[in-house]
Amino acid sequence: KESLRNNTAKIQSAASVGRDVAEEAAGALATGTSRALRYPLQLAADVGENDDGGIFDRGAKALERHEDNLQQVYPAYADTQQNGSFTEKLTLSAIEQIPNLALSFTGAGAAAKGAQLAGAGAKMTAATAYGTAAATMYPQAYGDGNDSTKQELENATPEQLATAVRSKDIYKGHFDKNIKDGMSEEEAHQKSRDQTISSIAEESGDAVGLATLALSMLAPGVGSFTANHAAGGAVSKWGQKVFNTLAVKADAGKVARVAIPAAVGAGIVGLNVAEEALQEGYTDYKAQQAAVDVGVKDKINQPQLKEAMLMGGILGGAMGGGVYVGTRNSKLQQAQDDLKTAQQAYAEVAGQI
């Protein structure tokens, strides 16, 4: 009987853990999906200066409320976000990225395929895919920077915002307009606080979005992989010509055929590690700096900054490597075969000299 009770307890414990894990994953996926939809709406509202009741603003705020409700629907997810270990938070962050990655893949892939069907060459196909990937990348980076800054400023008081050098002019502009619109001073102060935080968050979002586009040039991102995959390797053919030309000019005999995919893969992973680490670090830095500027924090929290960079680097390497492996196709083998032919031709020419 004792053994039966112990086995039953173990089964119940395992089932409970399984339910929590499933709940955490579901919460992360639902949150990631909502953000992938909300961020473009938020950007449209902010860019159009229509962030106070316009259709884009209403849509973004509705999704933001939905994300808040998800914390109640998935309590295990909310608890892990707050109190989980680094590994647990890293796992949730990776799951949250899935909808955005899928959006980029779908958009860039469709654009690449459409460009090829329209008769575009490899360069135009690649450019189309890159542009589409950037169009999906920027709103997500903007929203990430915006959200991070709002979180850092959530405890800012009207008094702090009204007196800090960084925010006092922004605050005064909002306050004067609110008073002119007939609000009481108390109402005007509270709304001005929220508006000022939103304005500062927009500045951070813009900076992070532009930095992300610049950093994306470090590594061949989703756009290039998707372009190649969707367009039947057209981009590979273009890159292959360039690579073969360089290989023939170099000492092709020293280029190990097996090392080509390994070197390319290692380079892609390494560049994605650097890109994502810098992006996440910069996002956290901008958010924390805003908090320091208005007096919410005394100084930048370095451990928090380092953790953001570490998490970004790990996710960047994992996603970069995963995308590389996932989109490799027969065209890579073809490129290797063509390189071998180029090497043989080089050797023949070299032997005649």
Side-chain angles (χ1 to χ4, degrees):
K1 291 183 178 179
E2 183 67 26
S3 175
L4 180 61
R5 280 195 297 269
N6 289 338
N7 289 336
T8 301
K10 289 179 181 179
I11 292 172
Q12 291 175 338
S13 177
S16 177
V17 170
R19 284 194 300 270
D20 286 346
V21 170
E23 185 177 292
E24 291 168 1
L29 190 60
T31 300
T33 301
S34 181
R35 287 174 182 167
L37 298 173
R38 174 169 64 88
Y39 287 162
L41 293 177
Q42 185 64 60
L43 177 60
D46 293 344
V47 169
E49 298 297 332
N50 190 23
D51 55 352
D52 196 15
I55 184 171
F56 294 125
D57 180 57
R58 294 199 302 272
K61 286 179 178 175
L63 287 168
E64 192 169 13
R65 289 192 297 271
H66 172 63
E67 289 163 32
D68 290 338
N69 291 335
L70 290 175
Q71 302 284 317
Q72 308 300 321
V73 176
Y74 302 104
Y77 166 67
D79 181 65
T80 300
Q81 274 191 317
Q82 295 294 324
N83 307 309
S85 65
F86 176 83
T87 301
E88 290 171 332
K89 291 179 180 179
L90 180 67
T91 302
L92 291 186
S93 182
I95 296 173
E96 289 169 353
Q97 299 299 319
I98 292 174
N100 182 44
L101 193 61
L103 181 65
S104 294
F105 261 99
T106 302
K113 196 67 176 177
Q116 191 186 40
L117 290 174
K123 292 183 180 180
M124 182 56 69
T125 299
T128 301
Y130 293 155
T132 305
T136 59
M137 182 192 308
Y138 183 88
Q140 301 303 319
Y142 173 88
D144 191 19
N146 193 304
D147 279 358
S148 297
T149 298
K150 284 181 178 177
Q151 289 172 7
E152 288 287 347
L153 297 179
E154 63 182 354
N155 295 322
T157 65
E159 291 76 15
Q160 287 175 319
L161 296 170
T163 56
V165 174
R166 166 80 182 270
S167 57
K168 63 181 181 180
D169 290 340
I170 301 173
Y171 186 94
K172 185 178 185 303
H174 289 307
F175 181 79
D176 290 346
K177 183 178 183 303
N178 291 333
I179 290 292
K180 186 177 180 180
D181 289 343
M183 292 184 188
S184 67
E185 284 201 8
E186 183 178 353
E187 290 173 331
H189 277 302
Q190 187 57 46
K191 185 165 186 179
S192 298
R193 171 197 175 275
D194 296 341
Q195 290 172 321
T196 302
I197 289 175
S198 180
S199 295
I200 295 173
E202 287 177 29
E203 293 176 359
S204 293
D206 285 333
V208 171
L210 291 173
T212 297
L213 289 181
L215 287 171
S216 68
M217 296 179 185
L218 280 173
V222 172
S224 59
F225 288 121
T226 308
N228 186 46
H229 187 65
V235 182
S236 279
K237 292 177 183 177
W238 173 44
Q240 168 192 326
K241 293 179 182 178
V242 176
F243 187 81
N244 284 348
T245 300
L246 294 176
V248 170
K249 288 184 177 180
D251 189 351
K254 294 182 180 179
V255 180
R257 184 164 176 252
V258 177
I260 297 169
V264 172
I268 288 170
V269 172
L271 288 172
N272 275 279
V273 167
E275 177 190 353
E276 292 298 328
L278 289 171
Q279 178 185 327
E280 292 302 320
Y282 185 66
T283 300
D284 186 73
Y285 171 79
K286 290 296 291 184
Q288 288 202 63
Q289 187 60 57
V292 171
D293 290 342
V294 302
V296 175
K297 279 186 170 182
D298 294 330
K299 60 182 180 179
I300 299 291
N301 183 331
Q302 293 296 333
Q304 176 183 320
L305 178 61
K306 291 175 182 178
E307 181 175 303
M309 294 185 70
L310 179 59
M311 187 172 293
I314 293 173
L315 287 176
M319 288 190 295
V323 171
Y324 169 69
V325 172
T327 57
R328 280 184 61 191
N329 52 39
S330 60
K331 296 300 177 182
L332 178 59
Q333 182 65 49
Q334 180 184 336
Q336 294 173 7
D337 291 341
D338 286 350
L339 177 60
K340 183 179 180 181
T341 300
Q343 290 173 334
Q344 292 173 343
Y346 172 84
E348 291 175 2
V349 173
Q352 295 173 1
I353 296 176

